[in-house]
Amino acid sequence: MKELFQAVTIKEAREIVLNHVSFPRDGEKVSLLSALDRCLLYDMVAVDDVPGFDRSTMDGFAVRAKDTFGASEGLPAYLEVAGEVLMGVAPEGELKPGQAWRIATGGMLPAGADAVVMVEHTEELDEKTIGVTRPVAPGENVVRRGEDVQAGSVVLPAGHRLRPQDLGMLAAAGVVAVEVRRPLRVGIISTGDEVVSPEEKPAPGQVRDINSYTLYGAVASCGGEPRLYGIVRDDFHQLQERLARALSENDMVLLSGGSSVGTRDVAARVIDSLGRPGILFHGVSLKPGKPSVGAVVNGKPVFGLPGHPASALVVFELLVAPLIRSYSYPRESFWEFPLRARITRNLRSAAGREDFVRVKLRLQDGELHAEPVLGKSGLITTMVRADGLARIPAGKEGVEAGEWVEVKLF
Amino acid sequence: MKELFQAVTIKEAREIVLNHVSFPRDGEKVSLLSALDRCLLYDMVAVDDVPGFDRSTMDGFAVRAKDTFGASEGLPAYLEVAGEVLMGVAPEGELKPGQAWRIATGGMLPAGADAVVMVEHTEELDEKTIGVTRPVAPGENVVRRGEDVQAGSVVLPAGHRLRPQDLGMLAAAGVVAVEVRRPLRVGIISTGDEVVSPEEKPAPGQVRDINSYTLYGAVASCGGEPRLYGIVRDDFHQLQERLARALSENDMVLLSGGSSVGTRDVAARVIDSLGRPGILFHGVSLKPGKPSVGAVVNGKPVFGLPGHPASALVVFELLVAPLIRSYSYPRESFWEFPLRARITRNLRSAAGREDFVRVKLRLQDGELHAEPVLGKSGLITTMVRADGLARIPAGKEGVEAGEWVEVKLF
């Protein structure tokens, strides 16, 4: 296979993975209050009109609009105050021509009324009479029945990720429990003979496991359900046993570490031993993060991420995060890199490769500037000091100081 | 007080609240895996150097850099292969002049070595000899001891909100449990005689409670701990009892609804009855959201948000969200409105008032365009259809189609 032997672009990597992966189709029912950031399993259809009646948006008087036509400060339209709308109950009776009913914001228009005059545009002459000093059009200061939501319409589509206002929308539609996609369960395995748990004091030659914790947080921040499977030595059988278990218990597995050639080969052989189609690409044309491996085993994606923490997180953002968030990748790069900032230094890049530069952002003379955070991709501090990632597209051989670049915030 | 009788700007509202509020100073200890998005209670200081030893960043050979000076493809520097570094253990012995030791990415440099030659820049002559075809400088392809983190340095400051890479940083520093700020507990009360729970079928004149659910989600998405206190009728004593309870059980209370004049007055009197200083401002110069109330009662903020769902959420974003996220407000508006987009229509505004327009975003000819979502602020659908909020500064009387505006994503 072509994919085995040459680096693929990020776009190709995404297509290859999507072509082979099959995500879980089952969901779970959760209460509305637990549904934030979850993705809808089905289209949500409104049962009732919202609001269920014509509703005032102002404090004032319900009227027939045509009774106010031509009214002005100099020549008010005089109306009889014939009723009052109480909040939360349907007004009894009908508003007749020449009448005005007191109404508060949110009140239900009485039959016969088609507009509301703001209290500021009236003058009270006596208990029974007002003068309207400005005309209103039919429907003015009113939310009509079904104007917010029409019964039978799709209010939110399947796959939609619920934001706070979407919870409000569902509450308005009378939905108090909702079927959502199950969060993807993501197994995380660190590899390397030199890696020890953060609880341990590293002996000379050993380092603490950074990637398990970074990836745990990254999976959780995408709405996935991370599970740690510890640290595995560079040993075919141990890795095979651990990966097989992680695959059986999760929807996706992330391997990290093993940037050395020998370790990479072991990981690749282990992945291929566990199911079809196995390794799909070995190397991606991006920096940092080139030595990344993509595989699908029996429908479940397995990503081999670089051992260097900054590289691992960049590859995670580009190839893994969108899958966990939405089971797919965004169609337009804007949704991933929505900010524009001026880069503050010349940076070289190789044509045909996408480069991602850790940057600190600052506002200067009303413009956003992106200062590259220098340092090797093996350093976790470069990610800690950065506010986001700037993207240098594959078509360019670099950027010059002052050029605009696309940026995503962490 | 001035604040009672005239609308304040957003900036003034923020200053007034911060001047009177006192946030909890206690924290809680959580495991590193539960610390995502939590804010550090104290500065975190590194105990050890990271890495704890000079570490190779490449597969290749550890060498003395000066033994490679002048090497080229035509005239390689010949070195004796005298050892091999095993991963995870300190190499025994010392690299002598003229020697090279095999080393993999992440391996510890032997004493005497100061650089690594990539395997790609060597030729293997026999089992005991390599030719180096390109010189390396001292420190090349090496991360030096303490280069990532120096023992004794502050790796993350107090108040910092932990991102995935920050968890990795703490793991590297050997921190597996961390003291974080307690999330703010936020009580939410809806008011209005016409409001019913989403479980109920509204009778004519009634509407389901949207704001409790929107605000619940909004508080949670900021890292706060929301609690619902139900729906209260427009009744002084009932509201007083409920607000007193919510205040005693939370760090902040949000009242919503009650946009009508009468209800607003009841809410204001209730707030003032519960403690000092009470109401601080009544009305903010922004649209939508003008009829907002800000108060502090015995150090705890109480916000009276408009009943219109879109207005309530805009005011939440501007006045409440930053407090929950970071106990403060950001210094530069860029951090709140980081995107730039071209507005697609002329919009009028009043000078002296900040306007916030719900917008849908799309990419066109490589530029981001913000299409205003039209509709009354009483409609929840306008928030559901929008991707974000665009800001029209107080100094302007409107924007013309094609002008750049600042945008924040939802």
Side-chain angles (χ1 to χ4, degrees):
Chain A
M1 278 199 295
K2 172 211 168 195
E3 292 94 341
L4 267 171
F5 302 105
Q6 82 186 53
V8 294
T9 65
I10 295 170
K11 190 161 171 278
E12 288 166 343
R14 290 178 166 193
E15 282 166 9
I16 295 168
V17 170
L18 280 186
N19 280 342
H20 291 88
V21 91
S22 63
F23 284 115
R25 287 164 186 276
D26 54 328
E28 55 189 2
K29 197 153 193 166
V30 299
S31 91
L32 191 55
L33 295 179
S34 312
L36 185 71
D37 287 335
R38 305 294 298 271
C39 294
L40 288 173
L41 201 58
Y42 306 114
D43 285 350
M44 295 300 298
V45 176
V47 178
D48 307 316
D49 286 328
V50 177
F53 53 90
D54 293 351
R55 201 173 181 220
S56 176
T57 63
M58 293 289 170
D59 289 350
F61 293 88
V63 298
R64 289 176 195 243
K66 68 177 166 194
D67 288 346
T68 70
F69 291 171
S72 67
E73 299 260 349
L75 194 65
Y78 295 106
L79 298 176
E80 176 205 358
V81 180
E84 177 165 5
V85 174
L86 299 177
M87 295 301 286
V89 289
E92 276 175 42
E94 191 181 342
L95 179 142
K96 304 219 164 56
Q99 290 188 344
W101 290 33
R102 281 180 212 283
I103 194 165
T105 305
M108 176 174 177
L109 262 66
D114 62 1
V116 170
V117 181
M118 289 169 69
V119 69
E120 292 88 335
H121 300 147
T122 63
E123 43 189 42
E124 216 142 328
L125 300 186
D126 57 46
E127 290 239 322
K128 285 280 166 200
T129 320
I130 55 163
V132 175
T133 57
R134 218 196 260 189
V136 283
E140 199 165 330
N141 299 324
V142 173
V143 174
R144 293 207 187 265
R145 174 179 183 147
E147 186 174 341
D148 205 352
V149 182
Q150 277 191 294
S153 64
V154 172
V155 292
L156 294 166
H160 182 79
R161 192 181 189 78
L162 296 171
R163 303 164 297 172
Q165 57 264 54
D166 302 323
L167 303 189
M169 172 86 266
L170 294 172
V175 175
V176 290
V178 61
E179 291 242 59
V180 293
R181 283 186 189 156
R182 190 161 63 58
L184 286 188
R185 293 194 271 261
V186 181
I188 297 166
I189 303 174
S190 271
T191 66
D193 289 342
E194 79 281 22
V195 183
V196 300
S197 157
E199 282 115 7
E200 290 179 51
K201 179 93 181 166
Q206 297 184 326
V207 291
R208 292 196 179 102
D209 181 11
I210 294 179
N211 280 345
S212 284
Y213 294 82
T214 305
L215 293 173
Y216 188 98
V219 168
S221 77
C222 295
E225 212 173 80
R227 296 156 181 212
L228 297 188
Y229 286 80
I231 302 156
V232 179
R233 309 278 145 229
D234 280 348
D235 173 274
F236 182 91
H237 293 288
Q238 200 189 342
L239 184 57
Q240 191 183 45
E241 176 273 322
R242 199 75 61 96
L243 180 58
R245 181 152 65 84
L247 270 169
S248 74
E249 295 172 357
N250 295 279
D251 305 304
M252 182 192 291
V253 178
L254 306 178
L255 289 168
S256 89
S259 305
S260 73
V261 175
T263 311
R264 281 211 306 270
D265 291 348
V266 170
R269 283 191 296 124
V270 167
I271 292 169
D272 274 338
S273 76
L274 289 173
R276 306 266 72 218
I279 302 279
L280 296 169
F281 58 83
H282 206 137
V284 183
S285 308
L286 87 169
K287 184 187 172 188
K290 186 169 186 295
S292 298
V293 172
V296 171
V297 174
N298 306 328
K300 296 177 178 180
V302 178
F303 291 97
L305 304 179
H308 288 166
S311 311
L313 207 45
V314 166
V315 177
F316 179 90
E317 286 286 338
L318 294 169
L319 293 183
V320 185
L323 285 186
I324 300 176
R325 278 198 207 99
S326 60
Y327 290 17
S328 188
Y329 296 104
R331 239 169 314 163
E332 295 193 291
S333 88
F334 150 67
W335 291 107
E336 296 181 83
F337 291 85
L339 276 67
R340 298 285 175 287
R342 287 191 190 279
I343 199 89
T344 62
R345 291 171 171 264
N346 299 342
L347 293 174
R348 274 182 311 165
S349 168
R353 184 184 77 190
E354 277 193 75
D355 279 27
F356 298 89
V357 183
R358 287 141 275 171
V359 293
K360 259 198 102 59
L361 295 173
R362 64 187 149 77
L363 207 58
Q364 191 179 304
D365 304 327
E367 282 182 344
L368 201 52
H369 290 246
E371 170 84 35
V373 174
L374 301 176
K376 298 157 184 162
S377 57
L379 307 185
I380 182 68
T381 34
T382 59
M383 291 302 273
V384 169
R385 273 153 51 212
D387 298 315
L389 277 185
R391 174 173 170 265
I392 303 175
K396 304 197 67 161
E397 297 198 358
V399 285
E400 283 181 41
E403 259 189 79
W404 290 98
V405 292
E406 299 176 352
V407 176
K408 81 184 297 176
L409 291 176
F410 287 134
Chain B
M1 277 198 297
K2 172 211 167 195
E3 292 95 343
L4 265 171
F5 302 105
Q6 83 186 54
V8 294
T9 65
I10 295 171
K11 191 161 171 281
E12 288 167 343
R14 290 178 167 192
E15 282 166 9
I16 295 168
V17 170
L18 280 186
N19 280 343
H20 291 87
V21 90
S22 63
F23 283 116
R25 288 164 185 277
D26 53 329
E28 55 189 2
K29 197 155 194 165
V30 298
S31 91
L32 191 55
L33 295 179
S34 312
L36 185 70
D37 288 334
R38 305 294 299 270
C39 294
L40 288 173
L41 201 59
Y42 306 115
D43 286 350
M44 295 300 298
V45 175
V47 178
D48 308 315
D49 286 328
V50 179
F53 52 91
D54 293 351
R55 201 175 180 216
S56 176
T57 62
M58 292 289 171
D59 289 350
F61 293 88
V63 298
R64 289 174 195 246
K66 68 177 167 194
D67 288 347
T68 70
F69 291 172
S72 67
E73 298 262 349
L75 194 66
Y78 294 105
L79 298 176
E80 176 204 357
V81 180
E84 176 166 4
V85 174
L86 299 177
M87 294 302 287
V89 288
E92 277 177 41
E94 190 181 343
L95 180 141
K96 304 217 165 58
Q99 289 188 344
W101 289 35
R102 282 181 210 282
I103 193 164
T105 306
M108 176 173 177
L109 261 66
D114 62 2
V116 170
V117 181
M118 288 169 68
V119 69
E120 291 88 335
H121 300 146
T122 63
E123 44 189 41
E124 215 140 329
L125 299 184
D126 57 45
E127 290 238 321
K128 286 280 166 203
T129 320
I130 56 164
V132 174
T133 57
R134 219 197 259 189
V136 283
E140 199 164 332
N141 300 322
V142 172
V143 173
R144 292 208 187 264
R145 174 180 184 149
E147 186 173 341
D148 205 352
V149 182
Q150 276 190 297
S153 64
V154 172
V155 294
L156 294 166
H160 182 78
R161 190 181 190 78
L162 297 171
R163 304 163 299 171
Q165 57 264 53
D166 302 323
L167 302 189
M169 172 85 267
L170 294 173
V175 174
V176 290
V178 62
E179 290 242 58
V180 293
R181 282 187 190 155
R182 191 160 64 57
L184 287 188
R185 294 194 271 262
V186 181
I188 297 166
I189 302 174
S190 271
T191 66
D193 289 342
E194 78 282 21
V195 183
V196 300
S197 157
E199 281 114 7
E200 289 179 50
K201 179 93 179 167
Q206 297 184 325
V207 292
R208 292 196 179 101
D209 181 12
I210 294 180
N211 280 346
S212 283
Y213 294 82
T214 305
L215 293 173
Y216 188 98
V219 168
S221 77
C222 295
E225 213 174 80
R227 297 158 181 209
L228 297 188
Y229 286 80
I231 303 156
V232 179
R233 308 279 143 228
D234 279 348
D235 174 274
F236 183 91
H237 293 289
Q238 200 189 344
L239 184 57
Q240 190 183 45
E241 177 274 322
R242 200 77 61 96
L243 180 58
R245 182 152 63 85
L247 270 168
S248 74
E249 295 172 356
N250 295 278
D251 305 303
M252 181 192 292
V253 178
L254 306 178
L255 290 167
S256 89
S259 305
S260 74
V261 175
T263 311
R264 281 211 305 270
D265 292 347
V266 171
R269 283 191 295 125
V270 167
I271 293 169
D272 274 337
S273 77
L274 289 172
R276 305 268 74 219
I279 301 279
L280 296 169
F281 57 84
H282 206 137
V284 184
S285 308
L286 87 168
K287 184 188 170 190
K290 183 168 187 295
S292 298
V293 172
V296 171
V297 174
N298 306 329
K300 297 178 178 181
V302 178
F303 291 97
L305 305 179
H308 289 166
S311 310
L313 207 44
V314 166
V315 177
F316 179 90
E317 286 286 338
L318 294 168
L319 292 184
V320 185
L323 285 186
I324 300 176
R325 278 198 206 99
S326 60
Y327 290 17
S328 188
Y329 297 105
R331 236 167 316 159
E332 294 194 291
S333 89
F334 151 68
W335 290 107
E336 296 180 82
F337 291 83
L339 277 65
R340 296 289 176 285
R342 286 192 191 277
I343 199 91
T344 62
R345 292 171 170 265
N346 299 343
L347 293 173
R348 275 182 309 165
S349 168
R353 183 183 78 190
E354 276 193 76
D355 279 28
F356 297 89
V357 183
R358 287 141 273 170
V359 293
K360 260 198 102 57
L361 296 173
R362 65 187 149 76
L363 207 57
Q364 191 179 304
D365 305 327
E367 282 182 344
L368 201 52
H369 290 247
E371 170 84 35
V373 173
L374 302 177
K376 299 157 183 160
S377 58
L379 307 184
I380 182 68
T381 34
T382 60
M383 292 303 271
V384 169
R385 275 153 51 212
D387 298 315
L389 276 186
R391 175 173 169 266
I392 303 175
K396 303 197 66 161
E397 296 198 358
V399 285
E400 282 182 40
E403 258 190 79
W404 290 98
V405 292
E406 298 176 353
V407 176
K408 81 184 298 176
L409 290 176
F410 288 134

